[in-house]
Short mmCIF file of all heavy atoms in Angstrom, two decimals:
data_model
loop_
_atom_site.label_atom_id
_atom_site.label_comp_id
_atom_site.label_asym_id
_atom_site.label_seq_id
_atom_site.Cartn_x
_atom_site.Cartn_y
_atom_site.Cartn_z
N LYS A 340 -105.42 -23.75 13.71
CA LYS A 340 -105.94 -25.08 13.41
C LYS A 340 -104.85 -26.01 12.89
O LYS A 340 -104.85 -27.22 13.19
CB LYS A 340 -107.08 -24.99 12.39
CG LYS A 340 -108.42 -24.58 12.97
CD LYS A 340 -109.52 -24.79 11.94
CE LYS A 340 -110.89 -24.74 12.58
NZ LYS A 340 -111.97 -25.09 11.64
N ALA A 341 -103.91 -25.48 12.14
CA ALA A 341 -102.82 -26.30 11.62
C ALA A 341 -101.97 -26.85 12.75
O ALA A 341 -101.47 -27.98 12.67
CB ALA A 341 -101.97 -25.47 10.66
N ILE A 342 -101.81 -26.08 13.81
CA ILE A 342 -101.05 -26.54 14.98
C ILE A 342 -101.78 -27.70 15.65
O ILE A 342 -101.18 -28.73 15.99
CB ILE A 342 -100.84 -25.38 15.96
CG1 ILE A 342 -99.88 -24.35 15.36
CG2 ILE A 342 -100.31 -25.88 17.31
CD1 ILE A 342 -99.82 -23.05 16.11
N PHE A 343 -103.09 -27.56 15.85
CA PHE A 343 -103.87 -28.64 16.44
C PHE A 343 -103.82 -29.89 15.55
O PHE A 343 -103.65 -31.02 16.03
CB PHE A 343 -105.33 -28.22 16.65
CG PHE A 343 -105.52 -27.14 17.65
CD1 PHE A 343 -106.42 -26.10 17.42
CD2 PHE A 343 -104.83 -27.14 18.86
CE1 PHE A 343 -106.62 -25.09 18.36
CE2 PHE A 343 -105.02 -26.14 19.80
CZ PHE A 343 -105.91 -25.11 19.55
N ARG A 344 -103.97 -29.68 14.25
CA ARG A 344 -104.02 -30.82 13.32
C ARG A 344 -102.72 -31.61 13.37
O ARG A 344 -102.72 -32.85 13.29
CB ARG A 344 -104.31 -30.30 11.91
CG ARG A 344 -104.77 -31.37 10.95
CD ARG A 344 -105.33 -30.75 9.67
NE ARG A 344 -106.68 -30.24 9.85
CZ ARG A 344 -107.01 -28.96 9.76
NH1 ARG A 344 -106.09 -28.04 9.53
NH2 ARG A 344 -108.26 -28.57 9.92
N LYS A 345 -101.60 -30.93 13.54
CA LYS A 345 -100.30 -31.59 13.60
C LYS A 345 -100.21 -32.49 14.83
O LYS A 345 -99.68 -33.61 14.76
CB LYS A 345 -99.19 -30.53 13.65
CG LYS A 345 -97.80 -31.06 13.37
CD LYS A 345 -96.82 -29.90 13.24
CE LYS A 345 -95.42 -30.41 12.93
NZ LYS A 345 -94.46 -29.28 12.79
N GLN A 346 -100.73 -32.03 15.97
CA GLN A 346 -100.76 -32.86 17.17
C GLN A 346 -101.71 -34.04 17.01
O GLN A 346 -101.41 -35.17 17.40
CB GLN A 346 -101.18 -32.02 18.38
CG GLN A 346 -100.13 -31.04 18.87
CD GLN A 346 -100.60 -30.33 20.12
OE1 GLN A 346 -101.23 -29.28 20.05
NE2 GLN A 346 -100.30 -30.91 21.27
N LEU A 347 -102.86 -33.78 16.42
CA LEU A 347 -103.87 -34.83 16.28
C LEU A 347 -103.42 -35.94 15.33
O LEU A 347 -103.83 -37.09 15.49
CB LEU A 347 -105.18 -34.22 15.80
CG LEU A 347 -105.88 -33.32 16.83
CD1 LEU A 347 -107.03 -32.57 16.19
CD2 LEU A 347 -106.38 -34.14 18.00
N ASP A 348 -102.57 -35.61 14.37
CA ASP A 348 -102.03 -36.65 13.48
C ASP A 348 -101.35 -37.75 14.29
O ASP A 348 -101.48 -38.94 13.97
CB ASP A 348 -101.03 -36.03 12.50
CG ASP A 348 -101.71 -35.22 11.39
OD1 ASP A 348 -102.93 -35.37 11.21
OD2 ASP A 348 -101.00 -34.43 10.73
N VAL A 349 -100.64 -37.36 15.34
CA VAL A 349 -99.96 -38.34 16.19
C VAL A 349 -100.98 -39.17 16.97
O VAL A 349 -100.87 -40.39 17.08
CB VAL A 349 -98.98 -37.66 17.15
CG1 VAL A 349 -98.39 -38.67 18.14
CG2 VAL A 349 -97.87 -36.95 16.39
N PHE A 350 -101.99 -38.50 17.52
CA PHE A 350 -103.00 -39.20 18.31
C PHE A 350 -103.76 -40.23 17.47
O PHE A 350 -104.12 -41.30 17.96
CB PHE A 350 -103.98 -38.22 18.95
CG PHE A 350 -103.34 -37.26 19.92
CD1 PHE A 350 -103.80 -35.96 20.06
CD2 PHE A 350 -102.26 -37.65 20.69
CE1 PHE A 350 -103.22 -35.08 20.95
CE2 PHE A 350 -101.66 -36.78 21.59
CZ PHE A 350 -102.14 -35.49 21.72
N ILE A 351 -104.01 -39.90 16.22
CA ILE A 351 -104.70 -40.85 15.33
C ILE A 351 -103.76 -42.01 15.00
O ILE A 351 -104.16 -43.18 15.01
CB ILE A 351 -105.18 -40.15 14.06
CG1 ILE A 351 -106.20 -39.05 14.42
CG2 ILE A 351 -105.80 -41.15 13.10
CD1 ILE A 351 -107.31 -39.50 15.32
N LYS A 352 -102.51 -41.70 14.72
CA LYS A 352 -101.52 -42.75 14.44
C LYS A 352 -101.42 -43.72 15.61
O LYS A 352 -101.31 -44.94 15.42
CB LYS A 352 -100.16 -42.10 14.17
CG LYS A 352 -99.01 -43.06 14.01
CD LYS A 352 -97.69 -42.31 13.84
CE LYS A 352 -96.51 -43.27 13.82
NZ LYS A 352 -95.20 -42.52 13.72
N LYS A 353 -101.47 -43.19 16.83
CA LYS A 353 -101.35 -44.01 18.03
C LYS A 353 -102.70 -44.56 18.51
O LYS A 353 -102.76 -45.28 19.51
CB LYS A 353 -100.70 -43.20 19.15
CG LYS A 353 -99.23 -42.85 18.88
CD LYS A 353 -98.36 -44.10 18.85
CE LYS A 353 -96.90 -43.77 18.65
NZ LYS A 353 -96.05 -45.00 18.70
N ASN A 354 -103.77 -44.20 17.81
CA ASN A 354 -105.11 -44.71 18.09
C ASN A 354 -105.54 -44.53 19.54
O ASN A 354 -105.96 -45.47 20.22
CB ASN A 354 -105.20 -46.20 17.71
CG ASN A 354 -106.65 -46.68 17.60
OD1 ASN A 354 -107.56 -45.90 17.31
ND2 ASN A 354 -106.88 -47.96 17.87
#
Side-chain angles (χ1 to χ4, degrees):
K340 280 191 165 187
I342 291 168
F343 294 138
R344 197 168 282 115
K345 194 172 182 180
Q346 288 184 270
L347 292 170
D348 286 344
V349 174
F350 297 146
I351 298 309
K352 174 184 174 183
K353 293 294 183 177
N354 196 28

